[in-house]
Amino acid sequence: MNTHRSARRTITRAATAAALATALGLGAVHTAGAAAPPTTPPPAPSPTPASTPASAPASAPDAGSASGTDPDGGWHQDGLTLNAADNKKVDAFVARARSAERSISPQVRAAAQISHAQLIGFDQRLKSPDSLKRKVATKLQEHPGQTVEQALGTLNDAVRFTLQWPDGTYSRGVTTAAGLLSSWGNDSARWSNTWNRPTGYKGINSAWRAPRSHQLFEVQFHTPESKWAQEETHKLYEEQRLPGTPPERVRELQEQQNRIFAAVPVPPGAEQLTAPTRRLPAPDPARRLPVAHTP
């Protein structure tokens, strides 16, 4: 039985329209900040105030030392640099992502509401310019000869969201939310399910391409425990990926992350969750080309 098709059938058109209207009108959607540790219950969801504009999210704080702009318009941070031309291209990329977010957020908010998800860190749905620049500069350093356009083309988290469910409803919630995003025209560009990995990160990271702006955006699917583990290991991961981190320290940091993620329970059915498959509409017979006749 196709679980994605079954989940979609349970959603009435009226419920979907109401959820979209609520999201577009910035109605209440369960949101929260950082996840609570697994030893304590997650905080009660608090509604997003209707007065909060969806088009003006805050950027996530950056790890590491303060960044600066060079006199020539370049950028530097943590030993990473961008020249003036590349820095300008990243700034333009950031501006396009901010514009595209305005049409992406209402759909994600509606998917969260219909699937009974908690929307985590909604105010940080735009990745900060410095964080994006660190990613681009790292890619350019790791891949000599790669252009800034090529590096930017691989980034899918300039706009990002996190949906969270308790273990008991996680798999059903992911199936419903992902099915909705797909049915609304978003193409599944990446689906990384690491629940079955013996070590390391636990969760599902998905990337989608919006139909109008073609902007890539990320949606992470978590439980309270897996989200807590992600937050707990974030600084370790940031240090691990810095170019100057010694190999022995890299291994030590990875071992610390493995121990934290090993304590995260796997929700029932999570290991089998896959990306929804979009069904293309049947071709219009009236538009079929006539068969050529050989004289």
Side-chain angles (χ1 to χ4, degrees):
M1 180 178 179
N2 189 313
T3 57
H4 295 294
R5 186 191 311 166
S6 177
R8 282 199 295 269
R9 278 202 299 260
T10 64
I11 302 167
T12 66
R13 291 183 179 180
T16 302
L20 278 170
T22 300
L24 287 168
L26 299 181
V29 175
H30 289 174
T31 61
T39 54
T40 61
S46 57
T48 300
S51 59
T52 302
S55 58
S59 295
D62 290 302
S65 60
S67 65
T69 301
D70 299 328
D72 64 353
W75 173 91
H76 68 275
Q77 185 185 70
D78 296 329
L80 299 167
T81 62
L82 292 173
N83 61 39
D86 288 347
N87 189 39
K88 186 176 181 180
K89 291 175 182 177
V90 177
D91 284 337
F93 176 86
V94 170
R96 290 194 298 271
R98 289 185 70 90
S99 177
E101 175 272 329
R102 297 168 187 167
S103 61
I104 295 170
S105 284
Q107 291 193 357
V108 176
R109 286 166 60 91
Q113 185 178 41
I114 294 170
S115 66
H116 305 290
Q118 197 173 23
L119 193 53
I120 304 296
F122 186 66
D123 288 343
Q124 283 78 47
R125 59 194 178 276
L126 286 177
K127 201 174 186 70
S128 71
D130 279 335
S131 186
L132 286 169
K133 290 175 184 181
R134 282 202 310 272
K135 268 196 168 185
V136 171
T138 299
K139 288 178 180 292
L140 295 179
Q141 187 176 87
E142 292 175 346
H143 304 283
Q146 187 178 62
T147 66
V148 68
E149 290 86 358
Q150 290 171 328
L152 287 170
T154 65
L155 300 183
N156 54 41
D157 61 347
V159 182
R160 73 275 177 88
F161 307 88
T162 298
L163 272 59
Q164 176 179 290
W165 299 265
D167 286 14
T169 59
Y170 177 82
S171 293
R172 183 170 68 250
V174 171
T175 299
T176 300
L180 285 166
L181 291 174
S182 177
S183 69
W184 293 333
N186 299 287
D187 286 323
S188 177
R190 183 172 67 88
W191 185 273
S192 176
N193 184 343
T194 57
W195 283 111
N196 59 355
R197 278 177 24 176
T199 60
Y201 181 87
K202 295 289 193 300
I204 295 177
N205 283 15
S206 64
W208 306 79
R209 191 177 298 278
R212 294 183 181 179
S213 64
H214 303 292
Q215 173 70 43
L216 282 172
F217 63 98
E218 179 184 79
V219 182
Q220 295 184 10
F221 301 118
H222 277 292
T223 66
E225 291 80 8
S226 67
K227 182 58 181 174
W228 174 84
Q230 182 196 47
E231 296 287 344
E232 191 73 5
T233 59
H234 181 70
K235 289 184 178 179
L236 302 176
Y237 172 73
E238 288 291 332
E239 181 184 349
Q240 183 185 33
R241 70 176 186 172
L242 288 175
T245 305
E248 61 274 13
R249 178 60 177 163
V250 169
R251 288 191 295 272
E252 179 184 347
L253 292 166
Q254 186 60 58
E255 290 172 0
Q256 292 180 38
Q257 294 174 67
N258 290 343
R259 286 194 294 270
I260 293 172
F261 280 114
V264 176
V266 179
E271 296 163 303
Q272 287 76 45
L273 292 172
T274 58
T277 301
R278 285 191 64 193
R279 288 184 175 83
L280 296 177
D284 184 354
R287 294 188 177 184
R288 291 177 183 171
L289 295 175
V291 178
H293 295 283
T294 304

